[in-house]
Amino acid sequence: MGKVQINVRVDAAVKNAVEGYCRPRGLAMNHFVQEALLDRLEELEDVEDLKKIRHEPTRPLADVLRELKLDGAL
């Protein structure tokens, strides 16, 4: 996939903090921001998944262990 540019406005303190983190570590700010966006999107997807499974029935651990023939040993 090709690269595109996006423009965002952020608080100057946020920009300074990102630069202050990236510069001494030799990280490109573009890479840092892209990874941060991807991490956030993944977190949001995880939250949506949790909402979907929140009301699924649960089973006692003892039943699961019995089914797996672990007899209480993990």
Side-chain angles (χ1 to χ4, degrees):
M1 185 183 313
K3 300 258 183 188
V4 297
Q5 183 174 338
I6 60 173
N7 295 311
V8 297
R9 293 191 183 275
V10 297
D11 188 87
V14 172
K15 180 180 182 275
N16 291 337
V18 172
E19 286 177 336
Y21 181 84
C22 291
R23 189 176 298 119
R25 291 167 177 82
L27 298 174
M29 201 160 79
N30 287 336
H31 178 75
F32 179 86
V33 171
Q34 181 170 311
E35 290 298 311
L37 289 170
L38 290 171
D39 286 346
R40 182 64 175 141
L41 287 170
E42 186 176 308
E43 287 174 12
L44 292 171
E45 286 178 0
D46 290 346
V47 168
E48 289 302 314
D49 290 342
L50 286 173
K51 287 178 184 178
K52 291 176 188 172
I53 65 172
R54 172 179 271 157
H55 300 291
E56 287 185 0
T58 60
R59 300 185 315 165
L61 178 59
D63 292 352
V64 174
L65 294 174
R66 195 174 317 108
E67 180 181 311
L68 296 173
K69 296 179 175 57
L70 293 175
D71 298 324
L74 292 178

